[in-house]
Amino acid sequence: MEIRFTLNGKPTAVDVPPDITLLRLLRDYLDMTGTKCGCEIGECGACSVILDGEVVNSCLVLAPQVEGRRVVTIEGIRGPDGGPNDLQEAFIEAGAIQCGFCTPGMVVAATVLLRKHGYPTREQIIEGISGNLCRCTGYQQIVEAIQMTVLRRGGLPEKEEHA
Amino acid sequence: MSELKSLGKPTRRVDALEKVLGTGRYTHDLKIPGMLVAKVLRSPVPHAEIVKLDVTPALKVPGVVAAITSEDFVDHGNWGFPVKDDYMLAYKKVRYVGDPIAAVAAETEEAAEAGLQAIVLELKELPAVFDVHEALKPDAPILHEELAKAQAEETTSGELEDAEFIEVHGKGNLSETLIVRQGDPLSKLSECDVVLDAAYSVAHQEHAYLETEAALAVPTADGGVTVFVGDQNPFITLSNLVMTLGMPGKVRVVQSPHTGGAFGGKSDMVYETAAQAAMLAIKSGRPVKLVTSREESMIASYKRDAMEMRYRLGATKDGRLRAAKIECWADSGAYASMTPFTSWRATIHAMGPYHYEDCHVDMMCVYTNNGYSGAFRGFGNTEVTAASEQAIDELAEMCGMDPMDFRLKNCVELGDTLPFGQKLEYSVGLKQCLERVRKISDWDRKRAEYSRQPAHQEIRRGIGVASFFHGLSLGAEGLDFAEHTIRLGEGNKFEILTGLSDFGQGSRTVFSLIASEVLGFPVERFQWLPCDTDVVQECGPTVASRSTILGGNATRLAAMRLLTQLYDAAAMMMGCMVPEVRQEGEVFYGPAGQRVTLDELIAYARANHIPLSAKARWEMPRIHWSFAKGRGVPYVAYHFGAQVAEVEVDRRTGVTKVLNIYAVHDVGKVVFPQGIRGQIIGGISQGLGYALMERVEFEKGYIQNPNFDTYLIPTAADMPVVTVEFVESELPFGPFGAKNVAEPSMVPTAPAILNAIYHATGRRIRHLPANLERVLLGYDLKDTVTTTVCQVGVCERAKCEL
């Protein structure tokens, strides 16, 4: 069946079987491989995309469900010059990236987190990325990258809570 | 040493940009025209004889192009190192749930699935064994009869020259015995004022790399095959392919640009995946891609071995360690894989970095039908340290001593001798690590404060410490070398060619920094390339935290040679003598005010056919360990470290929240600050999972938790605030003094947390993980009830004659 939707701001039409997921549609039919496949049961978050402004696991969304809707993938998250945006820069600078397999999903989750909260607290950041598994980093440098972005966007430095 | 320009300075990871943009390609992402999809038929039972296996019906399924079994491989695809006991596809028998039996390649995933369904498979189930002690009984079912028979002949021939203490070769399901021997600890224990005798155990742990195993095999014009993989050593993949496909000179292994994590897990299972895809590509004449699903990966891949340990430690009443008698049983599972080596490393580290008068360690590697075990970060040391550092705490308490004081009193220092006869000659920063972590964790105040919590208090805090050592690189396991080339490439960048893989740990950046330091050019002047066996030199496996030392030294030497070439060219270009050439960064000066930029020099070299390419090989100093005597020099030097964990336990629910971890590690020299900090914190997250939640649940050989909904790994919400510091006791032959870090980072985390839980609750949990029940009740519900075996995942359809 043909599915029409907006992908990274561009009207897109693709002919796919009706029983595939959005993840398969992106990776297998559009060769947009920035969205990763980690578990296919909605647990790891590597396949996170933005659907009408909300983070979703694209492995849990059936392709026909995106008909007429807006999807943003990692390929649609860029700075004004087409390079990394400030959040992505912060990921590099803070050491938030190791193997990089969770990174697109993390950037997607953090993008929505920052859009929703503006200046999220450390707790909100942790909650916002807790649906995304990372086996390499231990998360601390990812949290720091997001905090760095918050600061640079004008948020106030949050008082660190040490026990 | 003169001031360093690049090392230890804030630097970005050289391969980060394409990862953060999502444009970097992993094996999962590779796609080429005409590509077929492969799927593997796996054993639905833990132990069985293959009575009938016929793949021809699969070939009649529309869309199926090729189907293979062990018959298609040379010598049935028999492989394995150090024990050749495995097959690329099962031959005659299956030994664990998930053992690969046959594979098909088809136009679509659906056709491949239908092809698997069509395969005729008859299995005659055999009695299986799931417990290491049961497996060692004389009437236990034997997993590897032929191997056991060969071993029996070998040991009766009496030719073991070195076997004056013990027969190291196995019998029956005992694949290997590894030992450490000094003195007579049992008699010494009877003389000790204080003696601990306690049993500990650790569970199987899943690597949980986010990218599952995958391979893309492409037939080549000469009838050979090129295989794209993400593995830990393309040359081992290559040699296994050559051995089992039988086409020397026609196989090439190329690593995908990026690999989604490994942690020790991208070896054996990836070799098999590569061989299966390659054989299907050869049979079909088409490119074949094989990607495992998460469930398939978790069921079929090897784990960190489960281990049972009995510790008998003795000390004087004023807290001086005297004797250790340690016995361990490692669950090797169905195949040896790396277990003989992980177990060897475990024996060396089992007593911890302390003085003993007498010490014996005995480690039995035992075959069972519980999946199979292999390499995982820490490689045996993570397992034994989880026990030994708890035992040390228990002994300290029996002596009435603070755990930190007890460790400081007994820890080894430079010039001391380890309890297997090795004198510590280099880089021993353990005491400094302990002293520093004591300070930054505010140990003394917190320890005293938490010790005063009233008995009725339900939410309780505790603080615990663990210290450890970890031998550098492969040690006496085998020849230990790396050979790198730095050569001029596109865009006047210098390419660093290595056979060592970077699956996230940051070795590409480490090598770039070292080259930058030696040559004086900015890091951006260097370019990394993925390993390709047609291009790079063999460097040994990317394991044992060896990249920085081995690859770092090879890079350093290659860079020094390249610098010589550049000076030669500069002298020629400027018409002066080499000693007259002066360099400042990317500019070279002559004696008469001549000035040449690096780009000008490169242009001159190109025009005059002067090669700018240098290779260098670096080898670890050779050492010897006697496996039969249990003495010698296992590793040339060691990483040392200590971690303190601070926890809050809710005694009403069993919930343990780790509040803080303070980590101080003696790494010799910090090369890549962002990377090394990432290694430590990442290792700690895996250690936290090991301590509190991770356990592959084998129920009569069937894994009960084959995906992330049931096998839980730490999320951002589980992580404490981690404070990391380094001690830099430079290693004379490390690159700029650097040692190892990747594996050691996780080794002390679990026992530090376990010791903190004990401090909080007074309840000692000797069996990992310290899940809710164990913290709340003191025992695991799983041990007290019979659960129904749920046959998850693997090919429920298989036509078994059970």
Side-chain angles (χ1 to χ4, degrees):
Chain A
M1 67 184 290
E2 191 178 64
I3 295 169
R4 291 166 183 279
F5 65 112
T6 306
L7 178 58
N8 297 328
K10 288 188 198 114
T12 304
V14 55
D15 193 24
V16 298
D19 60 347
I20 66 160
T21 62
L22 174 58
L23 173 63
R24 295 274 166 166
L25 179 151
L26 292 168
R27 290 181 56 84
D28 298 349
Y29 291 83
L30 298 175
D31 201 27
M32 295 184 67
T33 54
T35 305
K36 304 300 179 194
C37 173
C39 71
E40 287 194 286
I41 60 162
E43 287 289 335
C44 77
C47 68
S48 299
V49 300
I50 306 170
L51 178 59
D52 287 342
E54 297 288 335
V55 184
V56 295
N57 289 308
S58 62
C59 71
L60 295 184
V61 176
L62 280 172
Q65 288 179 278
V66 304
E67 177 71 37
R69 299 171 75 180
R70 284 174 297 119
V71 175
V72 176
T73 67
I74 187 67
E75 289 87 351
I77 299 176
R78 291 289 186 275
D81 62 349
N85 68 14
D86 59 343
L87 174 68
Q88 289 165 315
E89 272 293 334
F91 263 65
I92 299 175
E93 215 174 302
I97 303 160
Q98 288 189 27
C99 87
F101 205 77
C102 77
T103 307
M106 283 288 181
V107 169
V108 163
T111 299
V112 173
L113 169 79
L114 290 168
R115 195 177 295 158
K116 281 193 169 173
H117 291 288
Y119 307 118
T121 62
R122 187 168 188 277
E123 265 182 10
Q124 286 170 328
I125 292 171
I126 287 170
E127 199 197 322
I129 60 163
S130 63
N132 294 68
L133 295 177
C134 170
R135 191 57 156 170
C136 297
T137 66
Y139 306 100
Q140 191 157 314
Q141 285 156 301
I142 297 173
V143 173
E144 286 164 3
I146 300 168
Q147 285 180 313
M148 196 183 276
T149 311
V150 172
L151 264 172
R152 288 177 183 170
R153 288 185 184 180
L156 292 170
E158 184 210 349
K159 223 165 136 194
E160 275 296 330
E161 273 178 47
H162 280 275
Chain B
M1 193 175 289
S2 60
E3 176 94 5
L4 298 174
K5 294 181 226 53
S6 301
L7 299 194
K9 304 288 185 295
T11 314
R12 296 164 155 237
R13 185 174 293 264
V14 295
D15 58 2
L17 182 62
E18 57 193 77
K19 290 177 179 176
V20 83
L21 294 175
T23 54
R25 292 257 165 171
Y26 296 72
T27 312
H28 276 198
D29 305 331
L30 304 178
K31 198 174 181 180
I32 54 171
M35 190 171 84
L36 299 172
V37 179
K39 288 214 170 277
V40 179
L41 179 68
R42 297 182 180 278
S43 174
V45 297
H47 199 191
E49 190 185 311
I50 299 172
V51 177
K52 190 173 180 192
L53 175 60
D54 183 6
V55 294
T56 46
L59 294 168
K60 297 190 181 107
V61 172
V64 172
V65 183
I68 56 169
T69 67
S70 66
E71 297 298 325
D72 294 291
F73 291 96
V74 176
D75 196 18
H76 299 97
N78 187 202
W79 76 284
F81 180 80
V83 185
K84 202 173 172 183
D85 63 356
D86 206 348
Y87 294 86
M88 294 304 181
L89 289 168
Y91 173 57
K92 287 187 181 173
K93 269 178 77 168
V94 288
R95 296 178 177 85
Y96 76 98
V97 177
D99 217 351
I101 297 172
V104 301
E107 302 287 351
T108 63
E109 219 173 306
E110 293 71 25
E113 195 60 54
L116 290 190
Q117 303 282 332
I119 292 171
V120 176
L121 171 68
E122 272 180 41
L123 297 174
K124 181 181 160 221
E125 204 167 359
L126 299 167
V129 62
F130 310 109
D131 175 90
V132 287
H133 304 294
E134 291 295 319
L136 292 176
K137 288 184 176 165
D139 56 347
I142 299 293
L143 271 83
H144 296 272
E145 300 87 346
E146 283 165 19
L147 216 61
K149 213 187 290 167
Q151 283 164 340
E153 282 161 16
E154 195 176 347
T155 45
T156 48
S157 68
E159 294 294 310
L160 285 170
E161 171 212 330
D162 223 8
E164 51 179 293
F165 286 96
I166 189 163
E167 281 184 358
V168 291
H169 292 281
K171 276 185 183 148
N173 289 323
L174 180 65
S175 79
E176 200 136 350
T177 304
L178 296 141
I179 55 164
V180 164
R181 287 289 180 271
Q182 174 159 299
D184 178 7
L186 276 184
S187 348
K188 189 73 40 106
L189 282 167
S190 66
E191 300 166 12
C192 288
D193 305 330
V194 183
V195 176
L196 169 86
D197 184 349
Y200 304 85
S201 69
V202 289
H204 290 97
Q205 187 181 24
E206 161 66 30
H207 302 82
Y209 27 71
L210 280 192
E211 185 189 28
T212 60
E213 303 80 4
L216 168 63
V218 186
T220 52
D222 64 354
V225 65
T226 298
V227 184
F228 296 86
V229 286
D231 66 1
Q232 299 197 214
N233 183 350
F235 285 92
I236 297 183
T237 304
L238 178 74
S239 59
N240 280 316
L241 288 173
V242 169
M243 181 170 72
T244 57
L245 303 176
M247 38 175 61
K250 291 185 176 181
V251 186
R252 172 180 167 218
V253 176
V254 185
Q255 287 192 331
S256 307
H258 302 290
T259 297
F263 319 114
K266 295 258 169 92
S267 294
D268 305 41
M269 171 87 173
V270 177
Y271 309 149
E272 289 183 3
T273 305
Q276 292 151 4
M279 183 53 82
L280 286 167
I282 291 162
K283 290 271 267 194
S284 65
R286 302 258 302 265
V288 172
K289 186 169 164 188
L290 175 46
V291 178
T292 59
S293 71
R294 176 59 58 185
E295 287 82 2
E296 188 179 16
S297 167
M298 294 245 284
I299 290 168
S301 74
Y302 57 93
K303 314 294 171 215
R304 180 190 301 288
D305 55 296
M307 200 182 278
E308 295 188 21
M309 294 157 273
R310 182 183 177 192
Y311 271 75
R312 279 177 278 182
L313 301 182
T316 59
K317 56 179 178 299
D318 63 346
R320 187 169 53 78
L321 279 168
R322 295 191 66 195
K325 167 82 180 163
I326 302 163
E327 293 149 288
C328 309
W329 294 264
D331 185 351
S332 178
Y335 298 100
S337 180
M338 281 294 116
T339 303
F341 284 150
T342 60
S343 298
W344 176 62
R345 186 179 276 271
T347 58
I348 305 302
H349 296 87
M351 74 299 292
Y354 307 110
H355 291 281
Y356 294 90
E357 294 162 26
D358 296 348
C359 173
H360 280 194
V361 184
D362 286 81
M363 170 77 64
M364 275 64 72
C365 310
V366 187
Y367 286 126
T368 71
N369 298 102
N370 291 329
Y372 73 119
S373 305
F376 191 160
R377 198 176 202 162
F379 206 72
N381 193 14
T382 310
E383 292 89 311
V384 291
T385 301
S388 66
E389 280 301 291
Q390 287 207 73
I392 290 291
D393 246 47
E394 295 194 53
L395 200 62
E397 190 184 18
M398 290 164 82
C399 296
M401 279 179 74
D402 175 273
M404 197 71 87
D405 291 334
F406 187 88
R407 285 176 173 82
L408 281 163
K409 180 169 185 147
N410 289 286
C411 74
V412 291
E413 292 182 75
L414 196 66
D416 286 348
T417 302
L418 290 165
F420 32 79
Q422 178 183 12
K423 191 172 180 218
L424 288 167
E425 293 177 82
Y426 323 96
S427 180
V428 186
L430 178 56
K431 199 164 199 174
Q432 295 93 305
C433 290
L434 278 163
E435 283 164 353
R436 186 68 195 150
V437 83
R438 176 177 214 152
K439 191 167 189 313
I440 65 169
S441 65
D442 198 7
W443 170 271
D444 293 290
R445 184 187 66 77
K446 286 176 182 167
R447 183 85 188 176
E449 187 186 318
Y450 301 159
S451 298
R452 286 195 301 269
Q453 292 169 107
H456 58 80
Q457 192 172 313
E458 297 291 7
I459 295 175
R460 310 179 66 82
R461 287 194 176 186
I463 188 165
V465 62
S467 60
F468 76 108
F469 67 149
H470 191 87
L472 299 191
S473 196
L474 303 175
E477 255 178 49
L479 192 60
D480 207 356
F481 67 92
E483 183 168 340
H484 282 191
T485 298
I486 307 180
R487 71 177 186 198
L488 184 59
E490 297 273 312
N492 284 0
K493 287 195 174 197
F494 288 103
E495 297 168 341
I496 301 176
L497 305 185
T498 174
L500 295 163
S501 334
D502 191 340
F503 22 74
Q505 66 292 38
S507 52
R508 286 168 179 161
T509 311
V510 166
F511 301 154
S512 300
L513 281 165
I514 288 172
S516 161
E517 187 67 47
V518 173
L519 286 157
F521 309 148
V523 174
E524 296 71 36
R525 185 59 84 169
F526 302 94
Q527 177 68 49
W528 58 270
L529 291 175
C531 309
D532 177 335
T533 56
D534 273 5
V535 179
V536 303
Q537 298 292 324
E538 158 96 274
C539 286
T542 309
V543 302
S545 316
R546 63 191 287 279
S547 291
T548 296
I549 305 169
L550 276 294
N553 270 322
T555 303
R556 182 176 59 84
L557 294 177
M560 285 163 69
R561 292 186 184 186
L562 180 63
L563 195 62
T564 305
Q565 294 177 1
L566 287 163
Y567 270 62
D568 287 349
M572 212 180 287
M573 189 177 173
M574 296 189 289
C576 64
M577 296 200 300
V578 173
E580 295 172 327
V581 177
R582 215 163 39 79
Q583 179 202 358
E584 272 175 37
E586 296 195 328
V587 183
F588 295 83
Y589 298 94
Q594 304 100 310
R595 182 182 183 279
V596 174
T597 66
L598 178 59
D599 287 318
E600 289 163 352
L601 184 60
I602 289 170
Y604 173 82
R606 287 192 203 272
N608 291 281
H609 310 289
I610 300 169
L612 294 178
S613 174
K615 67 177 185 334
R617 179 185 162 104
W618 192 80
E619 225 182 275
M620 269 282 197
R622 298 204 183 187
I623 45 180
H624 178 70
W625 175 262
S626 166
F627 286 86
K629 292 179 180 169
R631 294 187 65 76
V633 177
Y635 303 94
V636 284
Y638 299 84
H639 170 118
F640 295 91
Q643 291 181 6
V644 164
E646 198 181 347
V647 303
E648 189 171 83
V649 182
D650 187 336
R651 219 161 42 175
R652 298 161 304 184
T653 58
V655 170
T656 301
K657 175 85 190 147
V658 183
L659 304 172
N660 280 295
I661 288 187
Y662 304 90
V664 182
H665 291 252
D666 171 14
V667 296
K669 174 81 200 163
V670 173
V671 174
F672 173 30
Q674 177 195 94
I676 202 165
R677 186 162 172 262
Q679 283 295 306
I680 299 279
I681 303 172
I684 286 170
S685 76
Q686 294 180 0
L688 184 143
Y690 193 49
L692 298 179
M693 61 187 85
E694 293 187 37
R695 172 173 60 185
V696 179
E697 307 263 6
F698 281 102
E699 194 62 50
K700 295 192 165 56
Y702 292 87
I703 292 178
Q704 304 296 296
N705 46 352
N707 206 327
F708 294 131
D709 54 341
T710 42
Y711 186 89
L712 303 184
I713 65 172
T715 69
D718 296 308
M719 281 299 288
V721 175
V722 182
T723 307
V724 186
E725 283 198 13
F726 298 102
V727 166
E728 296 184 318
S729 66
E730 290 182 5
L731 180 71
F733 48 84
F736 298 91
K739 298 197 283 190
N740 50 341
V741 71
E743 297 185 289
S745 60
M746 88 170 285
V747 170
T749 308
I753 292 172
L754 270 288
N755 288 338
I757 292 174
Y758 174 74
H759 186 227
T761 65
R763 176 172 277 154
R764 176 63 67 182
I765 300 167
R766 298 195 181 92
H767 306 283
L768 265 59
N771 54 19
L772 297 181
E773 296 105 284
R774 281 173 171 157
V775 175
L776 180 68
L777 307 168
Y779 58 90
D780 198 327
L781 290 172
K782 187 174 172 280
D783 302 335
T784 60
V785 294
T786 316
T787 51
T788 314
V789 174
C790 158
Q791 305 193 358
V792 199
V794 180
C795 195
E796 283 147 16
R797 162 226 67 96
K799 291 169 191 132
C800 309
E801 303 300 319
L802 302 175

